[in-house]
Every structure is written in C-alpha cells, then in structure tokens.
Amino acid sequence: MIFPLHFMETAQLNKTSNVDIDDTINFADEDDDEAICSSHPWKVLIVDDEPGVHDVTKLALQDLIFKDRPLEFIHAYSGKEARDILSNTQDIALTLLDVVMETLSAGLDTAKYIRNEINNHLIRIVLRTGQPGYAPEKEIIQNYDINDYKNKTELSRDKLCTTIISALRGYEDLLNAETYRLAQAKIIENSKHLLTSGNHDTFIQRLTERLDDLLPLGDIYAQSSPEFMLMSERDHVPQVFQHSPSIRDQALWLEPYPAMVQEAVDTGALVIRDQHALLLFYQKDLLITYLALKYQEEVSDLEAQMLAVLMHNIKISYSNTSLQQSLTEMNSQLEVKIDARTRALKKATEAAEQASQAKSQFLATMSHEIRTPMNAILGFTQLLQRAPDATAASIDTLNKISKAGNHLMEIINDVLEISKIEAGAMELKTISFDLNDLIDDISQMFSFRCEQKNIDWQLLYENNQSVQVYGDQGKIRQVLINLLGNAVKFIDHGDIKLQVTSPKPDYYRFEVTDTGPGMSTGEIKTLFSTFTQGQVGAEKGGTGLGLAIAHNQVELMGGKLEVESALGHGARFFFTIPLPMSQEALVEKLSDEIENVRVKAPHKVHALVVDDIEANRDILTGLLTETGVEVTEAVDGQDSIDKLRRQTFDIVFMDILMPVMRGDEAIKVIREELMLTKLHCVAISAYSLSHEVPYYIGIGFDQFISKPFMFSEVYNSLLVFGPHLFEKCEKVSDEEPAESSPPVALDKFSIEKTLYDDIKDSAQLNRSSHVREILTQLAAQSPEDQPLAEHLIRFIDNYDMDGLLQALEEISCDE
C-alpha cells in the first residue's frame, strides 16, 4: 500500500514549479504562511495503516489552498482510531480512507459507521486502495455511500489534488445547504415562540433566552455565540434591557454602535461592520429598539444573509406583540370607560386591522409551517371521527374541531392568495374542462343559498350542450363564487342573476347582477384594493380580500373585472376572458366525497409512506391500514430509496421537503436510477407556493395531494391507482342521525335595547366568547327566551358572525 514512484516525483515537481490545477486552487509560498494560518482550514482525515502513505499524502497536499483556505491534516492508522476521531470531531470535510487495514474491510466498516451510526452525510468519503481485488470498484460504489474510489497505483499528485478539490466543493455545497436549512428552522421556531409573547417584557425575555441557541446562524459548528446587547433609545438616550453576562464595560462595548444605529434608522436595513452587527426591529416616532451583536470574528456573508431574515422576522413578531398589548389595554379600557364606548371601539377596530395585516404577512411567509400542524390536527380528527367506539358527543366535538380547522385554512388560503399576487407568484393552471358542468355546479350551489334567504335566482345561459374549453377552471370558479357570494351576503331581498354569453369565438363573458344597496363612486374607486371595503361590506363583516383576489385572477386569465353600480340601484360585475375550444381529453370530474374504501379480497396492497414528520406518517398510516393496505414508513427520500431497493411496493405517498433527500429528488432516482416507471407515486405536500402541481407531475409523480388533505382525496387516489384492487364501502355507524331543530320565528322575540346593542357591537368585533356569555345569561334569566338564545349560539358554533348579525335584524328590541 505504498504510492508509486511517479506520484512522489510529480508531487515534488509540482511543489517546486507552483502549478495551478484550477482557478480556485493555488499553492502557497513561504511568504504566505501568516495569511494561511489566519484562515479556517479544511480538515482532512487521512486513514491508512502505512505511515509512508500519510507522509506522501501530506507532502503532496500541504501547500494546497482551496478558496483561500488551507488544509489541516488529521491522521488515523486504523479503522478503529478513525472512528474514535470521527465521533469527537464534527467539522471534518473529507476523509481519504484506506480499505484494508487491521481487517480486510476496516475501511468499508468505517464508511458504514460514518453514514449509518453517526449519521454524518456531509463529510466526503474517498476510498483509496492498493489492493482493488479485495474491494472491486463497481461493487463498492453500488453498496456503500462513498463519493469517490481511487486506486493508489494510479493516483498521481495532480489526480489527488483534483479529487480533493472536487470533494471539498461537494462538502461546501452540502454544508451551505444544511446551514441554510438549520438557520431557517431556528428562525421559524424563534418566530413561533415570540408571536405568543403578548407584551413587551415577555417578548424581551423570550428573545434573550433564545439568543445563545439561535446564534450564530451561518456556522453549524460554532462553539460559542456572539455577545449581545438588547436595548432601545429615545432622543438618543439609551436603555439596556438585557446583555451578555461576559460584557463588563458597557460603555466601551457600545463604542462602535452609535454610527451604526444612525445608519439603521436612515436605511431601515441590517447594518454590519467587521465583527459588529445591528438589527433594528422597531422604530416609531422617536423610539427605536434594536439588537447589537459582537462576533469573535468578522461577520461572514452567509451569516449576514441569515441575520437579515432574522431581523425581518423579529420585526414582524415585535410589531404583532405591540399590537396585542395595545388591544389588551384597549379592551380593559372598554370595561372601565362605558361612556367612551364609541371612541374606544374605533381605536380597537383600527388596531385590529393593523394586527390582521401584520398576522397576514407573517402567515404568508410561514404558510408551510402552519399547514404541517394543521394537517396533523385535521388528519387525527378524521381518524377519531371514524373510530368505532366514538360516542355521539365526541363526534359532535370532533365535527366542531374539523369545521374550525377548515375555517382557519380558508382564511389562510385567502391571505396566501394575496401573498402570491403581491409576489408575482400566482400562475395559471390551465386544463381541459366542460364549461357547462362548471356553470351547472355553481348554479346549483347558489340557487340553494338564495332559496334560504328568499332571494330570486336567475341563470341566463342558452347553451345546453357540452362545451369543452381550455382554461383555469379553478380560478374561474373562485371568481364567480366570490362575486355571487358577495351578492348573497349583501342583499336581504330582491334577485341575483348570473349571465354567461360568448361575444366572439373562443371568448366568454360572465356577468353577476344583483338588486342590492349598491355603492357610491368613491367606494368603487378603491373596491379592488387589498383590505378595502365599501360601507355595506364593513357593516356585514369580512377581510376585504375577496374582490382584490378576484380582480387579479381575472387579469391573470387575460381579462378585466369591472363594476357598474350606484347607491340604491344594485351592482353589476362583469369580465370577458379567452377560453379556446379544447380537443384534449376532459379531466375527470371529482365524484361525491368517498366515505371509505377497502382492498378487494384476496388481493394484497403494500404502500410506502414517506414523511419526516411523525404525526403526518401516523395519520396516513392509520388511514391506509384501515382500508386493508400494508404500510411501511420512511423518514426521508434517501430512506425511501433504501427501502425500495430491498422491498417491492405497489404505491408510494411521498412528502416533498425533507432532510437528507427531498421528495422531488427521490422521485427522479425512483424513475431514472431504479427504473420503477410503473410504480404509482403520489406527492403529498404543503409547499404549493414554490412548486406548482405541473412541476411535480412533470418530474415523475402520478398525482399531487395538498396538505392538509381530506381522507376522500386519498381514497380517490387509491381508486384511480387500482380500481381492480379497491372498492368503495360505506362507513359503518351505530348512531342514528340527529333530528333537526325546529325553525325559530325570530320576529316573535323582543329583547331589551341595551342588551341588543351589546350583542350586535360584540358580534361586529367578532367577540364570539362575549356574545356566547350574554346569550347564556339571557337563557338562564328568561326561560321564554331560551329557544332564541340556543338558535343564536348555533351561529357562533359555526363561526358565522354574518349570519348572527343578519338574524339580529329580524329581532325587535325594547327601548
């Protein structure tokens, strides 16, 4: 196991002639020793039982510099010694690993130890052997997770340098990716923790407690955190909230920061100078609040990038905390100052709107982290609803949980839609669909809703034959539901009309007309702006997002949403979009919600569930097991590939964003390397902002299901995958359906005006708990009003404040 003579000669020749192998590589002169010593070296572990190999390798590589960083050599003379070093040293970039040492497989055992026992997937492993007969290259590459294989007899100095540089490049890329991932996870967890602070003091305490674990963000192997000082200034008078215990002389420590504070105030951006960083996260009037940091070394570019993201998140969290504290103070004032009700309610409304905007912005940036726990909540709720031992009371409670979760997801989806629009990330999802089916579905939906409110419904559409067109069916449906939903919401009597015409070939015009209260010219000018509502809209409640979303969606489809209206004369919304005729096969219309499926006897189905979140695996495993499917779980893409190499599966359900190997990376291996082209693979992910469904289908997935998912979506996937393997079956239930409550004649009831005003004002502010308390007390004090109270409480259970306000209009009140 000695290097060949030409290796040593080449090493000596290249050292004296100072040859550059790549523009990122150079060899140091003696004058560069001081510069090299000041750089962080790349740690290289040489594992070989021949001391001569260590000497020759060090001689060949000792002057090699990659990206201004030299090499630091660590020596091990056996596999056991190497494993001891690896278990205690995390930041080794590369190991040059001999195969035959104390045993014939000592090097291979060490490679397994690195990947499987200490789970180090960053370090690059280069096998070097002088006895290739003991370790054939093809067999080793296939069965061991190594990065390169070299025969010592063929390894010249130039080839060795090239191998080292290639390995270091790979290590650097992986390290950067892992650093980004861990930094983002830290920032997200920190934001979650800070968002529930409630007040300034708790926020400062929580931020201080987490700084040591949070920083630094750009170095996963750092041994210590930077010193910090958390403080505020008003009129240039500083106040220190918290600081690192190691800071003894605060005045001396703060000397570099006044100029940085002024720059941060002027620019609103992160300020970094050498080893100092300043994060300004609150600025109002003459008060500023910021975090000053002092690192042991100059702040790296990667650390600066992560600090900018951290500052943005702290700013959002602190703003949210300030708003929550303001709301708490205003609510307490409402209890004390009854005589200032109108003024206090106005302030609370303004603060609530600001809080809504701040929370919406946070929700948009953290959508995937919100969807993941929501998937667990809704998934486990569905499992419990299906449990054979569930009681009627527990099912009723679970139904409320499910309804609340879906209500929350609707709100989040609206905010995410606005975030997509503002980021320019909203895209068309064009498919071939039947326009008649779409119009019929919407007509049936709103004819029923109009009937409930005694409103006349009209559909004007003369084409009774199937019309197959090409366009974004989902966005057309969403726009029409938004416009028609507003019409139903804002009028109490009269009629609503949907008219569909074709002014010219391949173009369709949609018009929604109502006889409601109408709008003024001033209201129309700002109608399509985010968080803006007309007077009637403000009275009926809502977020002011719907029309802004619809307006942008119509523009994206090649049209323009317009409105004609006048106060007291209703409103007419209309738009024209291109919908060319399509010759493609129609996308199957989703069937009614499937209650359950099961595997047909005597068939057996084996599924692989891949997700790094245990709760998500539990939900999907429980669902599939209930249908009779045998389930195996995998925790990431690489784990799924390993299991697919060893076992045969019929269907795979795979998450997208996972550590070690992502789902979109794993599907490429499944299709291209493992050649499992017939294996049915379904992507299940909450990450729809960055990766659209066509992308996932294009890289090899057969279907895409968005989190949080309904069980019927998985059932439908199983039926599509194997109609000969699965059959629909009814959900077994021993419970009899509950009798519907008799209708309540609201106009027969009358309540005292002060109580009536309190209920109405609280409902407009969405204070559901307070309204429930009032109605409970009303039922207890006046038994004759109990049916009324129970009827109104149902609106609260269904999160329907609009319906509650509408019901109040039918009740009379005593002066």
Side-chain angles (χ1 to χ4, degrees), residues 627-655:
T627 67
V629 175
E630 181 182 349
V631 180
T632 299
E633 297 183 2
V635 298
D636 54 58
Q638 184 60 57
D639 190 19
S640 72
I641 297 300
D642 294 340
K643 287 181 168 60
L644 284 166
R645 293 185 193 277
R646 298 191 301 266
Q647 295 177 257
T648 300
F649 296 92
D650 300 298
I651 187 169
V652 176
F653 292 92
M654 184 172 299
D655 188 23

Short mmCIF file of all heavy atoms in Angstrom, two decimals, residues 627-655:
data_model
loop_
_atom_site.label_atom_id
_atom_site.label_comp_id
_atom_site.label_asym_id
_atom_site.label_seq_id
_atom_site.Cartn_x
_atom_site.Cartn_y
_atom_site.Cartn_z
N THR A 627 -57.97 0.67 5.51
CA THR A 627 -58.50 0.17 4.24
C THR A 627 -58.00 -1.23 3.91
O THR A 627 -58.42 -1.81 2.91
CB THR A 627 -58.11 1.11 3.09
OG1 THR A 627 -56.70 1.05 2.89
CG2 THR A 627 -58.53 2.54 3.39
N GLY A 628 -57.07 -1.75 4.72
CA GLY A 628 -56.52 -3.08 4.46
C GLY A 628 -55.19 -3.07 3.76
O GLY A 628 -54.68 -4.12 3.35
N VAL A 629 -54.58 -1.88 3.63
CA VAL A 629 -53.28 -1.77 2.97
C VAL A 629 -52.17 -2.02 3.99
O VAL A 629 -52.22 -1.51 5.11
CB VAL A 629 -53.11 -0.37 2.34
CG1 VAL A 629 -51.71 -0.21 1.76
CG2 VAL A 629 -54.15 -0.16 1.26
N GLU A 630 -51.16 -2.81 3.62
CA GLU A 630 -49.98 -3.00 4.45
C GLU A 630 -49.05 -1.80 4.24
O GLU A 630 -48.78 -1.42 3.10
CB GLU A 630 -49.26 -4.29 4.08
CG GLU A 630 -48.03 -4.57 4.94
CD GLU A 630 -47.32 -5.85 4.51
OE1 GLU A 630 -47.89 -6.60 3.70
OE2 GLU A 630 -46.18 -6.06 4.98
N VAL A 631 -48.57 -1.19 5.33
CA VAL A 631 -47.84 0.07 5.24
C VAL A 631 -46.43 -0.07 5.81
O VAL A 631 -46.23 -0.66 6.88
CB VAL A 631 -48.58 1.21 5.99
CG1 VAL A 631 -47.79 2.51 5.88
CG2 VAL A 631 -49.98 1.39 5.41
N THR A 632 -45.46 0.48 5.09
CA THR A 632 -44.09 0.65 5.58
C THR A 632 -43.78 2.13 5.58
O THR A 632 -44.16 2.85 4.64
CB THR A 632 -43.08 -0.10 4.69
OG1 THR A 632 -43.39 -1.49 4.72
CG2 THR A 632 -41.65 0.12 5.18
N GLU A 633 -43.08 2.62 6.61
CA GLU A 633 -42.80 4.04 6.73
C GLU A 633 -41.33 4.33 6.42
O GLU A 633 -40.45 3.52 6.70
CB GLU A 633 -43.15 4.57 8.12
CG GLU A 633 -44.63 4.46 8.45
CD GLU A 633 -44.95 5.04 9.82
OE1 GLU A 633 -44.02 5.58 10.48
OE2 GLU A 633 -46.12 4.99 10.24
N ALA A 634 -41.08 5.54 5.88
CA ALA A 634 -39.72 6.03 5.65
C ALA A 634 -39.67 7.49 6.09
O ALA A 634 -40.65 8.22 5.96
CB ALA A 634 -39.32 5.91 4.17
N VAL A 635 -38.52 7.92 6.63
CA VAL A 635 -38.42 9.24 7.25
C VAL A 635 -37.85 10.31 6.32
O VAL A 635 -37.87 11.48 6.67
CB VAL A 635 -37.57 9.17 8.54
CG1 VAL A 635 -38.22 8.26 9.55
CG2 VAL A 635 -36.15 8.70 8.22
N ASP A 636 -37.35 9.93 5.16
CA ASP A 636 -36.86 10.91 4.20
C ASP A 636 -36.70 10.22 2.84
O ASP A 636 -36.91 9.02 2.71
CB ASP A 636 -35.53 11.55 4.64
CG ASP A 636 -34.45 10.53 4.95
OD1 ASP A 636 -34.12 9.74 4.04
OD2 ASP A 636 -33.95 10.51 6.09
N GLY A 637 -36.31 11.01 1.83
CA GLY A 637 -36.19 10.46 0.49
C GLY A 637 -35.16 9.36 0.39
O GLY A 637 -35.37 8.34 -0.27
N GLN A 638 -34.01 9.53 1.05
CA GLN A 638 -32.97 8.52 0.98
C GLN A 638 -33.42 7.22 1.64
O GLN A 638 -33.16 6.12 1.14
CB GLN A 638 -31.69 9.04 1.67
CG GLN A 638 -30.50 8.09 1.58
CD GLN A 638 -30.11 7.78 0.15
OE1 GLN A 638 -29.82 8.70 -0.61
NE2 GLN A 638 -30.09 6.52 -0.22
N ASP A 639 -34.12 7.36 2.77
CA ASP A 639 -34.65 6.17 3.45
C ASP A 639 -35.63 5.43 2.54
O ASP A 639 -35.65 4.20 2.48
CB ASP A 639 -35.35 6.60 4.75
CG ASP A 639 -35.72 5.42 5.62
OD1 ASP A 639 -35.14 4.33 5.43
OD2 ASP A 639 -36.59 5.58 6.50
N SER A 640 -36.45 6.19 1.79
CA SER A 640 -37.40 5.54 0.88
C SER A 640 -36.67 4.81 -0.24
O SER A 640 -37.07 3.71 -0.64
CB SER A 640 -38.36 6.57 0.30
OG SER A 640 -37.72 7.42 -0.64
N ILE A 641 -35.59 5.41 -0.76
CA ILE A 641 -34.82 4.75 -1.82
C ILE A 641 -34.22 3.45 -1.31
O ILE A 641 -34.24 2.42 -1.98
CB ILE A 641 -33.72 5.69 -2.34
CG1 ILE A 641 -34.32 6.95 -2.98
CG2 ILE A 641 -32.82 4.98 -3.34
CD1 ILE A 641 -35.22 6.67 -4.14
N ASP A 642 -33.67 3.49 -0.08
CA ASP A 642 -33.09 2.28 0.51
C ASP A 642 -34.14 1.18 0.64
O ASP A 642 -33.85 0.00 0.35
CB ASP A 642 -32.49 2.61 1.89
CG ASP A 642 -31.30 3.56 1.79
OD1 ASP A 642 -30.72 3.66 0.70
OD2 ASP A 642 -30.97 4.19 2.81
N LYS A 643 -35.33 1.54 1.07
CA LYS A 643 -36.38 0.53 1.23
C LYS A 643 -36.87 0.02 -0.12
O LYS A 643 -37.20 -1.16 -0.28
CB LYS A 643 -37.54 1.12 2.05
CG LYS A 643 -37.22 1.28 3.53
CD LYS A 643 -38.39 1.83 4.31
CE LYS A 643 -38.16 1.73 5.83
NZ LYS A 643 -36.99 2.43 6.30
N LEU A 644 -36.93 0.90 -1.12
CA LEU A 644 -37.35 0.47 -2.45
C LEU A 644 -36.33 -0.47 -3.10
O LEU A 644 -36.68 -1.28 -3.96
CB LEU A 644 -37.59 1.69 -3.35
CG LEU A 644 -38.88 2.47 -3.08
CD1 LEU A 644 -38.84 3.82 -3.77
CD2 LEU A 644 -40.08 1.67 -3.55
N ARG A 645 -35.07 -0.33 -2.72
CA ARG A 645 -34.05 -1.25 -3.23
C ARG A 645 -34.25 -2.67 -2.67
O ARG A 645 -33.92 -3.66 -3.32
CB ARG A 645 -32.65 -0.76 -2.88
CG ARG A 645 -32.23 0.53 -3.57
CD ARG A 645 -30.79 0.86 -3.22
NE ARG A 645 -30.41 2.21 -3.59
CZ ARG A 645 -30.01 2.56 -4.82
NH1 ARG A 645 -29.96 1.66 -5.77
NH2 ARG A 645 -29.67 3.81 -5.06
N ARG A 646 -34.80 -2.73 -1.42
CA ARG A 646 -34.89 -4.03 -0.74
C ARG A 646 -36.28 -4.67 -0.85
O ARG A 646 -36.41 -5.87 -0.71
CB ARG A 646 -34.54 -3.85 0.75
CG ARG A 646 -33.13 -3.36 1.01
CD ARG A 646 -32.77 -3.48 2.48
NE ARG A 646 -33.68 -2.71 3.31
CZ ARG A 646 -33.43 -1.48 3.71
NH1 ARG A 646 -32.33 -0.86 3.31
NH2 ARG A 646 -34.29 -0.83 4.49
N GLN A 647 -37.33 -3.84 -1.02
CA GLN A 647 -38.68 -4.37 -0.99
C GLN A 647 -39.44 -3.93 -2.24
O GLN A 647 -39.06 -3.01 -2.94
CB GLN A 647 -39.44 -3.84 0.25
CG GLN A 647 -38.86 -4.32 1.57
CD GLN A 647 -39.61 -3.71 2.74
OE1 GLN A 647 -39.13 -2.79 3.37
NE2 GLN A 647 -40.80 -4.22 3.02
N THR A 648 -40.57 -4.59 -2.45
CA THR A 648 -41.46 -4.24 -3.55
C THR A 648 -42.72 -3.60 -2.98
O THR A 648 -43.34 -4.14 -2.05
CB THR A 648 -41.84 -5.50 -4.35
OG1 THR A 648 -40.66 -6.10 -4.88
CG2 THR A 648 -42.78 -5.14 -5.50
N PHE A 649 -43.09 -2.46 -3.54
CA PHE A 649 -44.28 -1.74 -3.10
C PHE A 649 -45.21 -1.51 -4.29
O PHE A 649 -44.77 -1.49 -5.44
CB PHE A 649 -43.91 -0.39 -2.47
CG PHE A 649 -43.08 -0.51 -1.22
CD1 PHE A 649 -41.69 -0.49 -1.28
CD2 PHE A 649 -43.69 -0.65 0.01
CE1 PHE A 649 -40.92 -0.59 -0.13
CE2 PHE A 649 -42.93 -0.76 1.17
CZ PHE A 649 -41.55 -0.74 1.11
N ASP A 650 -46.49 -1.31 -3.96
CA ASP A 650 -47.48 -1.06 -5.01
C ASP A 650 -47.73 0.43 -5.20
O ASP A 650 -48.07 0.87 -6.30
CB ASP A 650 -48.81 -1.75 -4.64
CG ASP A 650 -48.62 -3.25 -4.51
OD1 ASP A 650 -48.26 -3.88 -5.51
OD2 ASP A 650 -48.83 -3.78 -3.40
N ILE A 651 -47.60 1.22 -4.14
CA ILE A 651 -47.90 2.65 -4.21
C ILE A 651 -47.05 3.38 -3.19
O ILE A 651 -46.74 2.83 -2.12
CB ILE A 651 -49.40 2.92 -3.98
CG1 ILE A 651 -49.74 4.39 -4.23
CG2 ILE A 651 -49.85 2.48 -2.59
CD1 ILE A 651 -51.23 4.67 -4.28
N VAL A 652 -46.64 4.61 -3.51
CA VAL A 652 -45.81 5.42 -2.62
C VAL A 652 -46.50 6.77 -2.41
O VAL A 652 -46.91 7.42 -3.38
CB VAL A 652 -44.41 5.66 -3.21
CG1 VAL A 652 -43.60 6.59 -2.31
CG2 VAL A 652 -43.68 4.35 -3.41
N PHE A 653 -46.65 7.18 -1.14
CA PHE A 653 -47.12 8.51 -0.78
C PHE A 653 -45.92 9.26 -0.21
O PHE A 653 -45.38 8.89 0.84
CB PHE A 653 -48.25 8.45 0.24
CG PHE A 653 -49.52 7.87 -0.29
CD1 PHE A 653 -49.78 6.51 -0.18
CD2 PHE A 653 -50.45 8.68 -0.92
CE1 PHE A 653 -50.95 5.98 -0.68
CE2 PHE A 653 -51.63 8.15 -1.42
CZ PHE A 653 -51.88 6.79 -1.31
N MET A 654 -45.47 10.37 -0.87
CA MET A 654 -44.20 10.99 -0.51
C MET A 654 -44.36 12.50 -0.27
O MET A 654 -44.93 13.21 -1.09
CB MET A 654 -43.16 10.75 -1.60
CG MET A 654 -41.78 11.29 -1.25
SD MET A 654 -40.49 10.82 -2.41
CE MET A 654 -40.49 9.06 -2.31
N ASP A 655 -43.82 12.95 0.87
CA ASP A 655 -43.71 14.38 1.16
C ASP A 655 -42.63 14.97 0.25
O ASP A 655 -41.80 14.26 -0.31
CB ASP A 655 -43.35 14.57 2.64
CG ASP A 655 -43.42 16.03 3.06
OD1 ASP A 655 -44.13 16.80 2.40
OD2 ASP A 655 -42.75 16.38 4.04
#
